[in-house]
Amino acid sequence: MVLHPTDPLTALAHGIGSQHDLPISPFYAFAGAFAALFVSFLALGLLWSTSRFRGERSGLALPAVLQRVADAPATRITLRGLGLAAALAVLLHLLLGSDDPAHNPAPGAVYVLLWVGLVPASLLLGPVWRLLNPLRTLHRLLARALRRPGPGTGHPLPARLGQWPAAVGLFGFTWLELVAPDPASTTTLLIALTTYATVQLLLAARFGERWFDDGDAFEAYSALLARLSPLGRRSDGRLVLRNPFHGLDATPERPGLVATVCVLLGSTAYDGFSDNPSWINALQTSPLGRTPAATLGLLASIALVATLYCLCAAATRLVSGPHPGPLTAFAHSLVPIALGYLIAHYFSLLVVEGPRTVSMALGTDNAPEPAPPLGPGALAALQVIAVVTGHVLGVVAAHDRSVRLFPPAKAVAGQLPLLALMITYTIGGLSLLLN
């Protein structure tokens, strides 16, 4: 297993341990992936002729006592207080702490506990960042201090805006993490976080608290991943235990949804490619300079993912007939693929750097270096399984949507472009892991 250099900036930007030269046969990895995709596609075509996912209408209601605890003002105030206290702690470490990431927990708190930690938290508990978001709490406190109208007021948001602000915010964060010259510098982080917070609070002052639902990148990120959580809300507001596919099926088809998912996919793909020696050499020798060249690389990765999906949507329209919104109709099927990529690329980062960040925050800088929880072989297997499983789940979600939207005679044929897209994404994802 080829390890990254010991530079903490590299570790924070790209995870622990390279994805290259992992001890697993590429032949078996690709053969298993293609077999899983083809078998699932054929089985669904033969055995799944009607839509089975019911979105927000489904779910087994949890006991009323759990609902009361979850919705209790004390619970929500406590969570908001924890989020605000954590944000203040990060701010103090950025202002007063060391500029060395090895002795300052702030970079790890942002790049590991927040960015990567939101993945398991949202999968297990739902859209948790909505309650923890310190910007939402600050907005409420400022509105109360200035005697402004309460939540739900403000100028109406343009419908065409959708999730585009979240997509832009996610791109900005991934640029900071993967492209910025010194992403773990306290000065860089302080400027970036302060600018982001100021913009968010100003926009919330104009549009009201509902701005954060789609305008805050981390709320949109958490809510999107929470679509695959077994915990959710029914349309009547009840807290339920559900099949995660029902939650995924309820993903709103809004402007900017495709862009948001493509930013997640493309940036993760770029993260996997950015430590390739040939790319590093290209950045070092580029006449544009490292940062502009890396920015173009990140944009190209996202654009490639988006272009492939748009071509797939166009082909689906051509095969199955016109549909009002083919571009967004199957965008939800990309969410499990993005989740698989996130697990494959960031699992080791979370389980190794996460505890180290917590230890630094608690003042135990001399804690022993945490050992990786998995050996190289087990890590390679986990990465391949995560990528392949994400694509299989995407096939299932796309098939159910297809049999709902199109006539039976065209439903299976209309999925051939989607299958081709899944195969293309699989080849790219596994190539990044195993090249």
Side-chain angles (χ1 to χ4, degrees), residues 39 45 206 219 289 293 300:
V39 169
R206 175 172 176 79
E219 277 205 20

Side-chain angles (χ1 to χ4, degrees), residues 376-394:
L379 178 60
L382 172 67
Q383 292 175 325
V384 172
I385 290 171
V387 171
V388 174
T389 301
H391 285 84
V392 171
L393 296 181

Side-chain angles (χ1 to χ4, degrees), residues 7 11 196 218 236 260 304 330 335 385 390:
D7 181 4
Y196 181 78
F218 299 102
D236 59 2
T260 302
L304 177 61
F330 296 96
V335 176
I385 290 171

Side-chain angles (χ1 to χ4, degrees), residues 148 153-158 204-208 210:
R148 298 285 297 275
T153 60
H155 293 75
L157 283 165
R206 175 172 176 79
F207 295 109
R210 61 180 172 271

Side-chain angles (χ1 to χ4, degrees), residues 237-295:
R238 285 300 302 270
L239 191 64
V240 296
L241 193 64
R242 67 188 181 187
N243 179 340
F245 277 113
H246 292 303
L248 183 63
D249 186 67
T251 305
E253 296 180 31
R254 307 190 58 197
L257 173 62
V258 174
T260 302
V261 181
C262 287
V263 168
L264 287 176
L265 279 171
S267 61
T268 308
Y270 178 80
D271 186 17
F273 180 73
S274 61
D275 62 353
N276 187 291
S278 61
W279 178 247
I280 294 174
N281 182 65
L283 291 181
Q284 292 173 343
T285 58
S286 172
L288 297 175
R290 178 201 171 276
T291 301
T295 301

Side-chain angles (χ1 to χ4, degrees), residues 37 86 100 122 141 157 174 198 218 297 314 341 375 379 381 412 422:
L37 287 173
D100 182 1
S122 301
L141 293 175
L157 283 165
T174 54
T198 302
F218 299 102
Y341 282 14
L379 178 60
V412 175
M422 300 297 180

Side-chain angles (χ1 to χ4, degrees), residues 66-157:
L66 291 179
Q67 174 107 19
R68 287 195 296 270
V69 171
D71 293 339
T75 302
R76 294 173 178 266
I77 290 173
T78 300
L79 291 175
R80 292 189 187 107
L82 288 174
L84 187 59
L88 290 175
V90 170
L91 180 61
L92 287 175
H93 280 292
L94 289 175
L95 289 171
L96 307 175
S98 169
D99 200 42
D100 182 1
H103 297 93
N104 190 329
V110 174
Y111 294 123
V112 181
L113 299 183
L114 173 59
W115 177 243
V116 186
L118 269 181
V119 176
S122 301
L123 286 177
L124 294 174
L125 302 173
V128 292
W129 193 246
R130 179 182 174 85
L131 292 176
L132 293 171
N133 189 352
L135 297 180
R136 189 183 282 268
T137 304
L138 277 175
H139 170 73
R140 288 195 172 191
L141 293 175
L142 290 172
R144 185 173 302 176
L146 298 174
R147 301 184 184 275
R148 298 285 297 275
T153 60
H155 293 75
L157 283 165

